[in-house]
Amino acid sequence: MNSTDKKYKELYKAHYPKVMRLCLGYVAGDEAIAKDLAQDIFIKIWENLDNFRNDSSISTWIYRISVNTCLSRLRTGKKRSRTIAIADVPEILEEHSDADREKQLVQLYKCIQKLSETNRAIILLVLEGLPQSEISEIIGLKHDAVRTRIHRIKSQLTKCVSHE
């Protein structure tokens, strides 16, 4: 096994769960589509791993590929009039016994789907626990702009969830 293969395996193992959660957020919990997206993302990572210049952290680079791939898929999906079912929001909901919590999570996913592409990317990265500085690097906005957007997005989602 050469060093590129080894590095790829380590990246895959370390980042697959995060990439998968991000993809699930973009497709309202549709696991089959999320798995396809994650596979596409890791193919792109493999194809471009030797070109990674260390201008940013490897995780920032992976998130950038992930966001771009998810947005690209959503754009082409919309052009084909493809709708994504929200009925079966993530299987993790089945693990929770609290019906109210389940209902809120379903509403949250529905509300996230209503956000603009950039705002959706920002909030999904926030939910993933990334620092605002890294989010600003991934999205390509200034840190202050990201901080302001996060505040507005949270407010918008709070209103949306309570009115759904």
Side-chain angles (χ1 to χ4, degrees):
M1 182 182 325
N2 67 34
S3 64
T4 304
D5 291 345
K6 185 176 180 185
K7 185 174 183 177
Y8 177 78
K9 281 188 172 192
E10 289 170 3
L11 288 174
Y12 183 86
K13 187 175 182 180
H15 294 277
Y16 183 84
K18 298 172 193 173
V19 168
M20 185 63 179
R21 284 191 302 270
L22 185 70
C23 293
L24 282 167
Y26 270 99
V27 297
D30 187 316
E31 194 170 332
I33 295 173
K35 284 181 179 178
D36 285 346
L37 279 168
Q39 181 179 13
D40 291 347
I41 290 163
F42 279 97
I43 288 170
K44 289 177 184 178
I45 291 168
W46 170 256
E47 292 172 344
N48 295 291
L49 191 55
D50 290 335
N51 300 330
F52 177 66
R53 298 182 311 261
N54 290 314
D55 292 340
S56 62
S57 73
I58 192 85
S59 64
T60 299
W61 181 69
I62 290 171
Y63 275 117
R64 184 75 244 156
I65 292 171
S66 301
V67 168
N68 287 339
T69 303
C70 289
L71 290 176
S72 176
R73 175 71 68 93
L74 290 176
R75 287 181 193 126
T76 59
K78 287 178 183 173
K79 288 178 186 169
R80 291 179 288 170
S81 307
R82 187 170 157 207
T83 57
I84 299 170
I86 297 178
D88 299 317
V89 176
E91 292 178 12
I92 56 169
L93 293 178
E94 295 171 12
E95 297 173 10
H96 299 286
S97 58
D98 184 6
D100 289 337
R101 177 148 171 76
E102 229 176 276
K103 185 178 174 186
Q104 285 179 332
L105 285 173
V106 169
Q107 289 171 344
L108 178 63
Y109 270 109
K110 286 180 181 179
C111 293
I112 288 172
Q113 296 306 307
K114 294 177 184 179
L115 296 172
S116 70
E117 291 176 350
T118 304
N119 287 350
R120 188 179 320 158
I122 290 170
I123 198 64
L124 290 172
L125 293 169
V126 166
L127 292 172
E128 203 47 50
L130 270 67
Q132 291 179 3
S133 58
E134 189 172 350
I135 293 170
S136 69
E137 192 176 336
I138 292 167
I139 301 298
L141 294 173
K142 291 184 179 180
H143 184 252
D144 289 340
V146 169
R147 182 178 28 232
T148 301
R149 281 199 188 203
I150 290 171
H151 176 71
R152 289 180 182 156
I153 293 166
K154 286 180 177 180
S155 175
Q156 190 178 353
L157 288 175
T158 301
K159 288 178 188 173
C160 180
V161 168
S162 63
H163 290 93
E164 280 288 315

